[in-house]
Amino acid sequence: MEARVSAEASISHHQVPVGDIELHAAVCGQGPAVVLCHGFPGLWYSWRHQLPALAAAGYRAIALDMRGYGRSSAPTDPAAYDRVNTVADVEGVLDALDVDQAVFVGHDFGAHLVWDLPDWLPDRVRGLFQLSVPRVKPMPIRPSDAFKYLASQHFVHLEYFQEPGVAEAELDPQPRRFLATLFHALSGANRYLDCWEHPAFVDGRRNGYLEVLPEPPALPWPWLTDTEFDYYATEFGRTGFTGGLNWYRAEDRVWEQNGAREQRPIEVPVGFIAGSVDPVLQMLGEHPFEQMEELVPGLRGAEIIDGAGHFVQMERPEAVTSAMLGFLGEVHR
């Protein structure tokens, strides 16, 4: 396992062998382990505000580039992103870093994975702290069938991302434009659902993602500097988006794998935080928190940050970090 010290003196970067791939982990601090799992289009860097604060509070913070992203390996086959492989990634990182148990923090697709860990890796989970994505009951039909139905009415990114190569042809040549557009639309600017006003197809031609979202204002923004944005643009400019998109393309396999297992209520301690204008909450339908109370009896509380959007850990870092540290203090009391 190769390690080096980054320009941020307190963060060490590790290439961790896991099965037939490598995962990149940014590690900060010593103490009880906290593993941070990002979503699309994220990187370990999405937790840059939380890493030093967790370390200063006495925790060992481990922020991953998830499979398919950044400096981690990116298999081209979508089947490599199913739940068997993504759970094995987490377990492999724990083993390589000599961690018996951890609190897992998830955002977006990282939250989807983290919700499944108490069932798949019960002995390794001390607790969960989830961002943006409440736990809800699984779809009664195959996800791709649901995506196709929704796309018959309006543009749906979930359907647009399904066919390999389609989204890449639009997004890979212009990563800066795509990232700025998506970051802005999903943020507290609250413009993401503008895409639902557009059809998936126009005169037989598929609409592109950048055709259905509003143009963003120029950087910097209050929550994202030019330097921070450049890190994302450079990484995705180097890797392209296929690895991240493959998480979407594995959704049917994940649905099948979870459906074959007994979905037990989550009893371990759970904290939850989200922005009040996060479109994920709107897309999940009415009363997602009522479902979560039923499905997550270990829930210690759900905090909603007024005016924040989907990237709540970057938009409101102090509030998220404070809530996270309060939760960790209870778990490790």
Side-chain angles (χ1 to χ4, degrees):
M1 180 174 61
E2 175 191 355
R4 65 181 180 81
V5 177
S6 72
E8 307 95 333
S10 61
I11 300 176
S12 61
H13 292 269
H14 306 257
Q15 292 300 123
V16 183
V18 178
D20 58 356
I21 71 165
E22 284 188 348
L23 292 179
H24 169 243
V27 182
C28 191
Q30 297 293 327
V34 182
V35 179
L36 302 112
C37 303
H38 67 79
F40 182 85
L43 298 164
W44 75 268
Y45 193 66
S46 300
W47 306 105
R48 61 192 176 277
H49 301 296
Q50 285 72 44
L51 283 168
L54 289 169
Y59 297 99
R60 187 184 187 191
I62 303 165
L64 303 178
D65 275 336
M66 307 302 286
R67 168 184 293 246
Y69 291 90
R71 304 176 209 171
S72 291
S73 300
T76 56
D77 184 357
Y81 296 76
D82 69 4
R83 194 53 83 235
V84 171
N85 284 295
T86 51
V87 169
D89 288 349
V90 171
E91 186 173 28
V93 168
L94 296 182
D95 291 343
L97 298 180
D98 295 319
V99 175
D100 291 328
Q101 275 195 329
V103 171
F104 290 89
V105 179
H107 176 250
D108 192 79
F109 258 100
H112 281 290
L113 169 61
V114 167
W115 280 128
D116 290 342
L117 292 180
D119 185 50
W120 286 76
L121 289 177
D123 295 336
R124 312 301 292 269
V125 178
R126 182 72 179 267
L128 313 179
F129 189 85
Q130 296 281 57
L131 282 67
S132 299
V133 180
R135 192 182 193 211
V136 296
K137 294 177 181 178
M139 290 184 183
I141 63 173
R142 189 176 300 276
S144 61
D145 291 337
F147 304 158
K148 288 176 184 177
Y149 171 75
L150 292 171
S152 69
Q153 303 173 66
H154 46 68
F155 181 91
V156 179
H157 74 285
L158 297 161
E159 188 274 335
Y160 179 61
F161 287 164
Q162 288 303 303
E163 185 179 345
V166 171
E168 289 94 329
E170 179 193 19
L171 307 180
D172 283 358
Q174 44 190 342
R176 296 187 70 89
R177 183 185 172 201
F178 171 60
L179 289 167
T181 299
L182 191 63
F183 281 168
H184 177 255
L186 284 169
S187 74
N190 197 23
R191 297 296 303 277
Y192 182 78
L193 294 183
D194 288 10
C195 71
W196 285 16
E197 299 173 6
H198 299 266
F201 295 88
V202 177
D203 297 328
R205 184 188 67 83
R206 181 184 284 278
N207 253 330
Y209 213 169
L210 295 173
E211 295 176 288
V212 301
L213 289 175
E215 288 290 330
L219 286 154
W221 306 331
W223 62 274
L224 189 66
T225 68
D226 288 290
T227 300
E228 290 170 332
F229 179 76
D230 283 345
Y231 188 90
Y232 286 97
T234 299
E235 285 293 270
F236 282 104
R238 179 178 60 81
T239 66
F241 292 96
T242 296
L245 295 172
N246 278 342
W247 285 73
Y248 292 87
R249 295 164 185 160
E251 277 288 87
D252 281 354
R253 289 177 65 90
V254 172
W255 179 80
E256 292 167 358
Q257 290 164 340
N258 279 333
R261 302 172 68 89
E262 180 185 357
Q263 296 284 290
R264 291 183 289 270
I266 295 178
E267 305 279 356
V268 298
V270 176
F272 182 85
I273 195 167
S276 65
V277 292
D278 188 334
V280 170
L281 301 185
Q282 297 169 274
M283 289 189 285
L284 285 176
E286 295 184 359
H287 312 305
F289 295 115
E290 291 181 10
Q291 289 190 55
M292 192 159 63
E293 288 176 3
E294 174 187 347
L295 299 170
V296 189
L299 184 66
R300 300 287 181 86
E303 184 174 349
I304 304 301
I305 306 299
D306 188 50
H310 187 56
F311 301 105
V312 63
Q313 75 271 45
M314 296 191 286
E315 296 178 59
R316 300 289 193 276
E318 292 182 359
V320 170
T321 301
S322 176
M324 193 181 296
L325 290 175
F327 173 77
L328 291 168
E330 291 185 13
V331 170
H332 290 288
R333 185 161 46 198

